[in-house]
Amino acid sequence: MPAHRIDLPQPAWMQRWPAGLRPAGLTGRRDGVELIYCAASFGEVRVVAYPAREAGRVDLRVVPNPRLPEAVARRLSAGVGRVFAHSRADALPWLRRVLARCEAFEEAAEPGLDAALARCAEAATRARSDEGPSLPAAAVDALATRLPEAARDELEPRLALAHLQLCAGQLQGALDTLGGPGQGWPDVPAADASAESPRAAARRAVLAGTLGLRDAAIDHARRFAALARTTGELEFGGRLCAHLGLRDEACQQYAALIRVAPRPRHLAALLRAAEEADADGRQALAELAEHLGDDPLPWLPADLRVRLGRTLMELGAYPLAELQLRACAATSPDAAGKASATATLARARLWALDLDAAETLANEADDPNNPEHATALMVLGAVACLRGEPARGLDALERAHRLRGDDLEIRNWRVEALLRAGQPDAAQAAALEEGYRSAIVRQLLRVRLAAIHAARGHAAPEGPRDDTDYIHRTILRQLAQPLAALDADAAEAMTLGPEASDADTLAAVELALRALGGNRSNHLSLVGESDGRGGRSLHPAREVWSPRARASELQHRLLFEPLATVRERLAELVATYPGVPYGETYSAELLLWEGRYAEALEVFEAVWQRTHQRWSYVGSAAALHFLDRDDEALARWEEAATVHAFLPEEATHAYRSEIWRKRGALEAALEAASLAVEATNTRFGAWINLALIERRRGDRGAAEAALEVVRDNLQVQLALVARAEGLTVDDALELESAPVLLEALLRAMRGNRSSGVQTLVDDRGVLRIFTQRHLEGWTELASWCSEWSIHTLALLEHPSIGVVDVGQGGRGVVHDG
């Protein structure tokens, strides 16, 4: 529905705006007027004008625009300021009249739809301040009953109402509003990109994401991010993009926001996004850090300043990281913040092999009352090891490990210290602790351990079969690429050929560990020439990854990239590293999720026959099961048991449980399903199966408990499948009738028994994608921007007035200019 605008006469002084800008409109609000410009180079530019405390003066602020360079923003502010200064006699009275008009509009009380809107708006304000995540259902019901019939046939009011129903937890009502009862799988229509407003893009992104239409949600989210201008829009854009896994876009939104609205929560959100971002996101953070400089930044608490420095270190921006940490250590008013900055700075100097500075800083920070006490102890222990004093180093590292036993870097140094101290058995036990298997440095250390065990005449105790040398070979090959620019000979020696001996492998690992300098984290850096400060220059090696972790990460890109793109990336992994089976098995798992079982079986079977790798038997037997070849599936698992000890967290138990339930072997089915959910409580396919097993066994309490997990975590999936089956969720989830819906849900899930990503295939073959905490996350986002939907519906009640979002929850009048 197009918005009608209230007509305000355009003052003459508006024609004297800075050269290169065309007046496009203005928005009135209670605290000021937002002037809207059009610029050929930077799109829309907004400047907020408001009366200053000093009588007779107007203050100005440029609203952030990611495409607007900061220097241009300053120049525009100055230009608009000159216009106001020259037109003060006319501009100030006009500005005050507009503000009075806004106040009168906000105070106007109108009957009908407006009363329901007001109730929702009040609740939306509470939701945005985190006092409550949802709108009252009664208020949303009142909106639904008061909407004019004509509006129900138009798309935008329906999308706005569905959005508010989602905020109120009325999932079934939202689905009915979108698609109509009994109309099967609802969708979110695409928008006209040239005409869509930011708030409409936000609504579409939230609704598409809720329905598992990931590609559509991403498209609308990116469109919203491109349109975001106000502080409220930029903050929501950051949240939305981060929720969808669009880390680069989230970083850009938050970095633009911090430049004009510096808040600790904004920087904390930026750092969370940057930790998993690609090049663009890292660049956005680095540019922001450069913009912040080394000023004390009173708005920024010490813990966030230290976290900023630590994140910059881990992203490879080492000089900027040390700049922030040194500034924090020098200026922080609180002792704990100063000590944390000093300990983290010691860690940076350790990475660069500046051992004297690292030890001095670590001693300064070594205080049991300091939250970074473990970091200081780790640095002291590592420095001692690197100086050839492993016993002294081990003492400090053991204390650090007791303080922070889950810290990967501390654990890696502890393993290395035990090796240097001549305690290989203790080092082996430490290396096998949970949490090391996908760690890069740990994979290099295990080669050392294997060499020691081989020299003693027996194999390393890693399990009944360990032919995974492709893991460390791949890591060494990747590490050699950035090392070639620093030490070509070492890089060549690290690139092992197929005939490399154990001695060659061990020598390559020793070269790699030396090239890492003092860094034993998973954020790899290489040391180069002298840095002129007692250490050596640091060079990031971010593109080095553990093979299985890389394949898993590529598969999870399904959350923010199209399925075809993910499959192409996995195929590239297979082509680049043909000896690494994970690219094939993770790609084949996607075929299972789509229901393409015969194709999946072909891939899994080839990998199994070639390598007997673990994940190939899991997938091969699963594909056989879904092809109704259960005897062959069970036989494959029996064969695999002679090679591998089944891990509690693998999906084998979920698949086997379904076969045994189908065959009526309920006790065996129960044992396998229980093991599956106990090991990984987010494997929801196993919870569905467990509910079906317990119901058939007649254990009503256990069945209800399992069913409750399904209800709580798969609300959207249940509602979608119920619609497709012509059922209602409430009726179908009664214990007596639950099997009909649960069996339908398992069929829609195809072969997906993942613990991290849930999928459905609808009746059109569209893969719908969901994640853990799925509905809760989307409901929070819907509530955060619910006022935008309220504004859309308000136009139905006030056809002569445009109600607009202004980034702070206010409403105002609009003039198109």
Side-chain angles (χ1 to χ4, degrees):
M1 171 176 289
H4 298 279
R5 311 298 190 189
I6 191 166
D7 187 21
L8 291 174
Q10 188 180 92
W13 57 264
M14 288 182 66
Q15 301 305 319
R16 297 195 292 271
W17 288 8
L21 297 175
R22 179 175 58 81
L26 57 91
T27 298
R29 57 199 232 187
R30 293 192 66 161
D31 63 340
V33 174
E34 189 174 76
L35 306 166
I36 306 169
Y37 300 73
C38 278
S41 302
F42 308 111
E44 192 174 74
V45 179
R46 296 169 180 247
V47 178
V48 177
Y50 47 96
R53 291 182 179 179
E54 179 185 334
R57 194 169 65 82
V58 174
D59 281 346
L60 300 160
R61 177 176 59 81
V62 174
V63 177
N65 175 344
R67 292 178 292 179
L68 186 66
E70 186 180 0
V72 176
R74 287 197 300 267
R75 193 167 62 249
L76 289 175
S77 293
V80 177
R82 285 192 294 272
V83 171
F84 266 92
H86 293 153
S87 310
R88 185 164 48 230
D90 297 329
L92 270 173
W94 177 88
L95 181 59
R96 293 192 181 106
R97 284 198 302 274
V98 173
L99 298 183
R101 188 81 173 269
C102 292
E103 290 180 5
F105 172 74
E106 287 193 345
E107 292 167 1
E110 304 222 8
L113 181 65
D114 197 55
L117 285 166
R119 292 178 63 190
C120 283
E122 181 183 356
T125 301
R126 288 199 303 273
R128 286 182 60 163
S129 63
D130 296 326
E131 293 179 16
S134 61
L135 302 183
V140 177
D141 287 340
L143 276 182
T145 58
R146 290 180 179 276
L147 273 184
E149 285 298 325
R152 299 176 191 277
D153 296 329
E154 297 193 31
L155 178 60
E156 286 304 320
R158 281 197 294 112
L159 289 175
L161 178 59
H163 180 230
L164 294 177
Q165 287 171 317
L166 176 59
C167 299
Q170 298 174 323
L171 179 59
Q172 195 66 55
L175 295 178
D176 291 344
T177 297
L178 287 173
Q183 293 184 14
W185 302 84
D187 228 328
V188 176
D192 178 358
S194 63
E196 190 171 37
S197 68
R199 69 191 74 107
R203 270 198 307 275
R204 283 181 164 84
V206 168
L207 291 168
T210 301
L211 297 175
L213 299 168
R214 205 78 180 183
D215 289 357
I218 289 166
D219 180 54
H220 292 304
R222 285 185 166 138
R223 187 171 300 144
F224 175 87
L227 295 169
R229 297 292 182 271
T230 70
T231 55
E233 288 170 357
L234 285 166
E235 185 168 6
F236 178 76
R239 292 190 182 200
L240 175 63
C241 291
H243 186 66
L244 280 164
L246 305 173
R247 305 293 180 182
D248 283 357
E249 289 88 340
C251 286
Q252 291 160 1
Q253 296 280 297
Y254 283 124
L257 176 62
I258 291 168
R259 289 173 183 268
V260 293
R263 302 285 186 277
R265 74 172 189 274
H266 298 158
L267 181 60
L270 171 60
L271 294 175
R272 282 195 300 272
E275 285 163 2
E276 300 179 35
D278 291 329
D280 290 344
R282 297 198 298 273
Q283 182 64 24
L285 178 63
E287 288 175 359
L288 176 67
E290 202 161 3
H291 168 72
L292 296 176
D294 59 355
D295 292 334
L297 303 178
W299 62 274
L300 187 58
D303 62 331
L304 266 181
R305 192 76 180 263
V306 173
R307 187 174 165 195
L308 172 61
R310 185 183 298 120
T311 303
L312 287 167
M313 273 180 63
E314 293 170 353
L315 296 180
Y318 308 113
L320 283 172
E322 292 204 28
L323 178 71
Q324 293 293 328
L325 293 167
R326 289 184 189 281
C328 184
T331 63
S332 177
D334 104 83
K338 188 184 294 285
S340 293
T342 303
T344 309
L345 190 56
R347 178 178 179 235
R349 290 287 82 204
L350 168 66
W351 286 14
L353 291 180
D354 186 354
L355 302 186
D356 290 340
E359 185 174 39
T360 299
L361 290 163
N363 277 319
E364 289 178 16
D366 187 14
D367 174 4
N369 297 316
N370 169 24
E372 289 298 320
H373 182 44
T375 300
L377 286 171
M378 179 199 74
V379 172
L380 293 171
V383 167
C385 286
L386 291 170
R387 284 178 167 160
E389 303 173 52
R392 184 166 68 89
L394 184 57
D395 176 67
L397 289 163
E398 291 288 7
R399 287 189 288 145
H401 184 254
R402 285 194 293 272
L403 286 170
R404 201 160 67 214
D406 60 347
D407 187 295
L408 182 65
E409 193 170 4
I410 291 173
R411 291 163 73 173
N412 279 340
W413 271 116
R414 179 168 169 254
V415 171
E416 191 159 348
L418 287 165
L419 280 171
R420 289 171 183 251
Q423 301 180 44
D425 292 335
Q428 179 71 36
L432 287 176
E433 290 175 358
E434 185 180 357
Y436 266 95
R437 292 199 171 273
S438 63
I440 298 164
V441 173
R442 185 270 177 185
Q443 297 291 356
L444 299 178
L445 292 174
R446 75 186 276 207
V447 176
R448 267 190 186 171
L449 288 163
I452 291 171
H453 282 280
R456 298 163 82 189
H458 55 82
E462 298 246 358
R465 183 188 182 96
D466 184 22
D467 56 353
T468 56
D469 62 340
Y470 55 78
I471 294 177
H472 62 255
R473 284 172 178 263
T474 303
I475 290 172
L476 289 168
R477 178 179 165 186
Q478 295 172 81
L479 197 55
Q481 294 172 12
L483 183 60
L486 304 172
D487 188 339
D489 292 339
E492 184 178 358
M494 281 167 49
T495 307
L496 299 173
E499 304 303 322
S501 67
D502 290 343
D504 293 334
T505 302
L506 182 59
V509 166
E510 298 291 355
L511 284 172
L513 290 171
R514 282 201 295 274
L516 294 175
N519 184 352
R520 296 295 183 267
S521 76
N522 239 14
H523 306 280
L524 300 189
S525 57
L526 301 173
V527 290
E529 299 298 324
S530 168
D531 64 3
R533 290 188 291 154
R536 293 164 66 181
S537 60
L538 289 174
H539 305 269
R542 281 183 56 88
E543 301 309 315
V544 181
W545 31 259
S546 177
R548 184 187 166 201
R550 176 61 169 176
S552 176
E553 185 268 334
L554 287 177
Q555 188 191 67
H556 275 74
R557 293 181 81 93
L558 184 65
L559 300 178
F560 51 98
E561 286 185 350
L563 176 61
T565 303
V566 173
R567 187 164 282 124
E568 288 172 7
R569 288 177 179 271
L570 286 165
E572 289 170 6
L573 180 65
V574 173
T576 306
Y577 299 97
V580 179
Y582 299 116
E584 296 170 88
T585 56
Y586 276 84
S587 183
E589 188 178 20
L590 294 178
L591 294 173
L592 281 182
W593 295 2
E594 293 179 272
R596 296 163 61 180
Y597 305 127
E599 296 171 69
L601 177 61
E602 184 177 352
V603 177
F604 282 127
E605 190 67 20
V607 176
W608 174 251
Q609 297 302 333
R610 187 177 76 245
T611 69
H612 274 55
Q613 186 258 355
R614 177 183 299 279
W615 307 112
S616 62
Y617 78 71
V618 176
S620 174
L624 288 165
H625 160 52
F626 288 109
L627 288 168
D628 293 323
R629 296 161 61 179
D630 289 347
D631 287 338
E632 294 174 72
L634 293 170
R636 170 53 42 78
W637 280 313
E638 288 180 14
E639 178 187 0
T642 66
V643 180
H644 293 278
F646 293 170
L647 299 175
E649 64 268 24
E650 66 185 63
T652 293
H653 312 292
Y655 292 123
R656 288 205 294 183
S657 178
E658 291 183 38
I659 293 178
W660 286 323
R661 174 175 61 82
K662 186 167 66 173
R663 294 186 166 194
L666 297 183
E667 296 307 313
L670 175 62
E671 182 181 359
S674 298
L675 178 58
V677 299
E678 286 166 10
T680 316
N681 64 6
T682 55
R683 203 177 296 282
F684 297 118
W687 280 108
I688 295 170
N689 193 45
L690 184 60
L692 291 168
I693 293 166
E694 295 288 24
R695 182 185 177 280
R696 285 183 61 182
R697 290 180 70 249
D699 190 333
R700 187 179 187 88
E704 284 281 10
L707 199 54
E708 191 65 27
V709 174
V710 176
R711 289 188 188 117
D712 288 346
N713 292 280
L714 304 181
Q715 294 178 45
V716 181
Q717 295 94 313
L718 287 167
L720 290 172
V721 171
R723 286 172 62 85
E725 297 290 321
L727 304 168
T728 66
V729 174
D730 290 341
D731 291 341
L733 278 185
E734 292 299 323
L735 194 57
E736 288 69 24
S737 54
V740 177
L741 180 56
L742 296 184
E743 291 281 13
L745 181 53
L746 282 175
R747 287 195 300 273
M749 290 170 68
R750 301 297 195 266
N752 184 351
R753 299 299 179 266
S754 168
S755 60
V757 180
Q758 294 86 50
T759 57
L760 290 182
V761 178
D762 67 21
D763 55 0
R764 297 164 298 168
V766 174
L767 188 71
R768 294 173 180 258
I769 303 166
F770 309 87
T771 54
Q772 189 178 355
R773 290 185 68 253
H774 179 84
L775 181 59
E776 182 181 345
W778 285 113
T779 302
E780 288 175 359
L781 283 168
S783 296
W784 201 91
C785 65
S786 55
E787 197 152 333
W788 297 340
S789 287
I790 293 169
H791 294 157
T792 295
L793 295 174
L795 295 177
L796 303 174
E797 185 74 1
H798 302 285
S800 64
I801 299 176
V803 184
V804 298
D805 172 72
V806 295
Q808 301 296 331
R811 293 191 292 174
V813 293
V814 173
H815 166 63
D816 274 339

